[in-house]
Amino acid sequence: GESVGLHLPTLSVQEGDNSIINCAYSNSASDYFIWYKQESGKGPQFIIDIRSNMDKRQGKRVTVLLNKTVKHLSLQIAATQPGDSAVYFCAEKNFGNEKLTFGTGTRLTIIP
Amino acid sequence: DGGITQSPKYLFRKEGQNVTLSCEQNLNHDAMYWYRQDPGQGLRLIYYSQIVNDFQKGDIAEGYSVSREKKESFPLTVTSAQKNPTAFYLCASSYPRVAEAFFGQGTRLTVV
């Protein structure tokens, strides 16, 4: 259970620009892929999910894309705002056993 | 108010002592989870429970134990066998076959 010492990748985006956060997942059997946002010192908050049989889903200012061929998930945030600064995690859920696992996060910083 | 509550927010223990972290939810969720987060890193799954009286090991269960005697409660014990227990611990819960999980505010455990 030792940490391997990896630190989060970072992304800096100008306020008002669009941002794209990427994630590689490992388990093709997952039923849902999910994005969470974590602000400093707090628990993660759900943003959006996508079922494994879909390739795109849109929410308010966010879009999630799923490419099962290369096991890649992305989160697009339109017209970024200062409040979007946070760490973003992708996650996978298996409905058979309810296991919910998280991928490597990305720290998003919005430049005023 | 419905929610998921972790207590305490900060916890200090001496090396070699067992310590139990509390997690309570009144959301009527069946599934509950425990994660460990080290500084600047992602969430690693310790244990999860699909339903009361049942739980499974996650990816880093060594040195930890849990119980699920009541639907609303999922306490985590960090035992003296855990070599590096100092970390931020997060509890979560969700309905079955639903992607969204709700997180508590976390417990920051420091072992000296």
Side-chain angles (χ1 to χ4, degrees):
Chain A
E2 290 289 333
S3 165
V4 297
L6 295 174
H7 289 278
L8 299 172
T10 59
L11 175 66
S12 295
V13 174
Q14 203 76 33
E15 183 178 350
D17 286 352
N18 299 337
S19 64
I20 300 176
I21 301 169
N22 297 301
C23 174
Y25 65 88
S26 57
N27 187 357
S28 300
S30 294
D31 294 286
Y32 266 86
F33 298 90
I34 312 150
W35 282 99
Y36 284 86
K37 173 185 181 182
Q38 186 180 28
E39 296 175 337
S40 182
K42 296 184 178 180
Q45 283 186 298
F46 172 88
I47 302 172
I48 190 168
D49 60 47
I50 185 167
R51 195 180 177 98
S52 60
N53 61 356
M54 298 173 64
D55 51 26
K56 181 178 180 178
R57 188 170 184 216
Q58 287 186 289
K60 185 179 176 184
R61 272 201 317 119
V62 295
T63 300
V64 56
L65 299 177
L66 176 63
N67 185 331
K68 292 181 284 292
T69 303
V70 294
K71 296 185 180 180
H72 184 265
L73 187 70
S74 68
L75 177 71
Q76 300 176 1
I77 305 174
T80 53
Q81 303 167 357
D84 294 330
S85 290
V87 177
Y88 290 81
F89 291 99
C90 62
E92 310 170 44
K93 191 169 187 186
N94 184 311
F95 282 177
N97 58 11
E98 299 297 330
K99 188 175 184 181
L100 175 64
T101 53
F102 283 72
T104 306
T106 296
R107 184 178 301 281
L108 176 65
T109 301
I110 307 304
I111 305 165
Chain B
D1 279 339
I4 179 165
T5 302
Q6 291 185 242
S7 61
K9 190 171 181 179
Y10 299 96
L11 190 54
F12 295 86
R13 278 295 182 269
K14 289 185 179 179
E15 194 172 334
Q17 291 181 335
N18 291 356
V19 59
T20 298
L21 281 58
S22 169
C23 179
E24 303 277 332
Q25 53 97 3
N26 59 4
L27 299 166
N28 201 34
H29 287 166
D30 285 301
M32 295 188 74
Y33 307 85
W34 274 106
Y35 297 90
R36 170 185 173 134
Q37 187 173 33
D38 292 288
Q41 297 189 33
L43 281 72
R44 292 185 288 168
L45 182 63
I46 305 172
Y47 269 97
Y48 64 106
S49 169
Q50 275 185 279
I51 199 166
V52 67
N53 292 322
D54 182 63
F55 52 83
Q56 288 83 39
K57 292 182 179 179
D59 302 318
I60 56 164
E62 186 178 348
Y64 300 97
S65 66
V66 293
S67 63
R68 187 82 190 278
E69 296 175 3
K70 297 188 295 182
K71 186 176 186 178
E72 56 271 21
S73 179
F74 191 39
L76 173 75
T77 297
V78 184
T79 74
S80 56
Q82 169 50 234
K83 291 182 171 44
N84 291 292
T86 294
F88 187 49
Y89 290 88
L90 286 158
C91 179
S93 68
S94 74
Y95 285 116
R97 305 185 68 80
V98 169
E100 181 175 5
F102 292 81
F103 280 81
Q105 291 300 294
T107 292
R108 194 167 298 278
L109 173 65
T110 302
V111 175
V112 296

